[in-house]
Every structure is written in C-alpha cells, then in structure tokens.
Amino acid sequence: MVDKQMNPKLWLKEHGDYLFRYALSRLHDTELASDMVQETLLAAWRGHERFKGDSTLRTWLVGIMKHKIIDHIRKEIRHRDISDRLEHDPTSTYFSENGSWQDSPSAWRDNPEALWDNQEFRQVLQECLSHLPEKQRNVFEMRELTGDDSETICNAYDITPTHLHVLMHRARLALQTCLHKHWFGGHTKS
Amino acid sequence: MKHACKRVSQLTSDSFERELSLTEKMQLKLHFAMCSLCRNYHQRLATMAGIFEQMREHDLNQDIQLPIEDKQRIQSVLEKEK
C-alpha cells in the first residue's frame, strides 16, 4: 500500500497543483512557486524512506514545502533587508498627543459575507492591502489570507511574537483607515 | 487613563492574535464600557476578521494550476533522480 504511493511522478500528478497554489499564495511569484514544487518533490523523493505513513502524503509534502518557503523568505530578508523599523511608530498619526482617536471610528454596518460577495469591495480591499508597507503586508497576508500560525511567520521573518503583534496592529490600523476612506465612509451603496 | 485609546487599540488587535491575560481582558472590558470609539474600532476589526475568514474559505486560487511546461520539466528532473 505504502509502496504504491512511493512514486514521485504520481505525487506530481496528484499534489503538484495543490503544492503550487500553496507556494504561490505565500510567495506571489509563479516561477518561484514552480521551483518550490520541484525542490519539494525532489527532497521528498530523496528522503522518502522517512515518510512513515502516519500522516497523509499531502500533509507530509506540505510539511517539506513549508520549510523550504521559510528558508527562502529568511534568505531573501537577509539579502534585501526589508526591515520595518520599530523605532518609528506609524500609529502615532492615528492618535492625538494624549492618546485619544484622531478620527473617531464609527461602526461599520455591513456583514462580512455580504462584503465578500461584492466584487467591487474585494477590489478596494486588494488595493488597500497593496498600500501597506512591504513587511507589514507580507506578514499580515501570511497570517490572515493564508492562515499560517504565528510560529511559522516568526520563524520565516525572524521576529519575536511581540514584534509580530505590533506589525499586525499597524497593518490593521492602516487597513481599516483605508477601507473606511474608500468604502464604508465614502461609498454610496446602491 | 489619558493614553487609553492608543494602548487599547494594540490590545484590541492582540485579542485577535493571542489569548489575553485576565488583567488585559478586564482592561478591555472596562474601557469598552465607557468608550464607544474603541468599541467601534473593535467592531471594525471583527468585520475585517470575518472578511478574511471568507477569503480563506473561498480560495480564489483554487483554479490555478501548475503550468504544463513546468510539470514536464519537474517530471524529467524527477526521472533523472530515480
């Protein structure tokens, strides 16, 4: 049973698309994502005797790919130094000197399902995400869009959980401001 | 007390990230009880969290496939390895 599974061509056929999407949603680069699939399958094939069959094959492959993605992000950060300096606190602009809200947040009325169904809204959301500073955006998307756990993200970006929480806070502040400006506050609903 | 909203906004975001301590939960509860702006902010973050939950459920990438040329390339690489 296990032997029959041990065929990398079959892995490619059955899990290649899935692995590709997994990498693509985290790396946003089709060529890179495709290389990740190749590297993952190669590494899996070379180490296939380590597959014990106590998880599904797909889970095992994804586990291998996850490490490769983390390695890649770590290398890239060292290479380009996309740091988001913590010393400069962008949240100050949202609050007055005494720490109260600069623009009083009002409540949003729409429910998330209805918003999601609205293609126009999704475009605004993408637009707002694209305006976040690079590191904030990468971390925020990995957390909220692909649903990775904090440990994975901290590992990849070499940050502490506290730093991650600060970045998430900043991203949320910026995003809700942008969404309010371009949707909830200004948009006339039909 | 004065810097409350700024500090509370970090805690509000944290409540979506981790389990808050009992003290932190009390702080939030007390502050929300008297500050409608921070309640609204919390409600906005909850709305955003709901939207991203929808996003994760309806994976927009679900139709994306590994390009056929890439499949062929990977296949020949794997064959060489055998």
Side-chain angles (χ1 to χ4, degrees), chain A residues 61-96:
Chain A
L61 293 171
V62 166
I64 295 171
M65 178 172 255
K66 207 168 175 176
H67 284 288
K68 298 217 168 286
I69 290 174
I70 291 178
D71 282 349
H72 174 83
I73 294 173
R74 292 181 77 107
K75 264 184 225 147
E76 194 178 15
I77 291 170
R78 231 169 291 147
H79 198 61
R80 292 195 300 135
D81 187 30
I82 46 167
S83 51
D84 180 23
R85 312 230 169 271
L86 278 184
E87 305 87 67
H88 167 72
D89 180 6
T91 64
S92 306
T93 56
Y94 300 92
F95 298 92
S96 57

Side-chain angles (χ1 to χ4, degrees), chain B residues 35-77:
Chain B
C35 177
S36 64
L37 300 183
C38 285
R39 278 206 303 277
N40 289 345
Y41 183 66
H42 179 265
Q43 188 259 349
R44 286 185 179 189
L45 294 198
T47 305
M48 291 205 300
I51 294 163
F52 290 118
E53 202 182 314
Q54 293 291 311
M55 209 162 187
R56 288 195 297 272
E57 270 171 35
H58 308 93
D59 185 359
L60 281 183
N61 293 333
Q62 59 191 337
D63 297 326
I64 296 177
Q65 293 186 338
L66 183 60
I68 190 79
E69 321 85 72
D70 293 17
K71 266 185 193 149
Q72 284 160 351
R73 188 198 72 225
I74 295 172
Q75 183 145 335
S76 66
V77 170

Side-chain angles (χ1 to χ4, degrees), chain B residues 21-47:
Chain B
S21 72
L22 271 179
T23 322
E24 289 170 329
K25 278 184 196 163
M26 281 305 283
Q27 281 176 349
L28 268 194
K29 218 176 161 181
L30 276 173
H31 186 86
F32 284 166
M34 56 187 190
C35 177
S36 64
L37 300 183
C38 285
R39 278 206 303 277
N40 289 345
Y41 183 66
H42 179 265
Q43 188 259 349
R44 286 185 179 189
L45 294 198
T47 305

Side-chain angles (χ1 to χ4, degrees), chain A residues 3 7 33 47 55 72 93 115 129 144 148 151 157 166 179:
Chain A
D3 280 347
N7 177 352
S55 58
H72 174 83
T93 56
L115 287 165
L129 280 168
E144 292 284 40
D148 280 320
E151 205 190 331
Y157 286 92
V166 170
L179 286 176

Side-chain angles (χ1 to χ4, degrees), chain A residues 124-182:
Chain A
V124 173
L125 178 62
Q126 287 298 346
E127 190 68 21
C128 285
L129 280 168
S130 74
H131 283 111
L132 293 175
E134 190 176 8
K135 191 171 186 181
Q136 256 180 48
R137 181 186 179 187
N138 290 342
V139 165
F140 187 84
E141 290 195 349
M142 211 163 162
R143 186 93 180 95
E144 292 284 40
L145 274 57
T146 53
D148 280 320
D149 56 45
S150 327
E151 205 190 331
T152 305
I153 301 169
C154 288
N155 231 321
Y157 286 92
D158 206 12
I159 53 178
T160 62
T162 309
H163 188 168
L164 171 67
H165 297 151
V166 170
L167 289 174
M168 292 298 291
H169 167 50
R170 291 177 182 181
R172 286 191 172 103
L173 256 178
L175 206 57
Q176 63 90 30
T177 305
C178 180
L179 286 176
H180 191 76
K181 187 171 170 200
H182 297 287

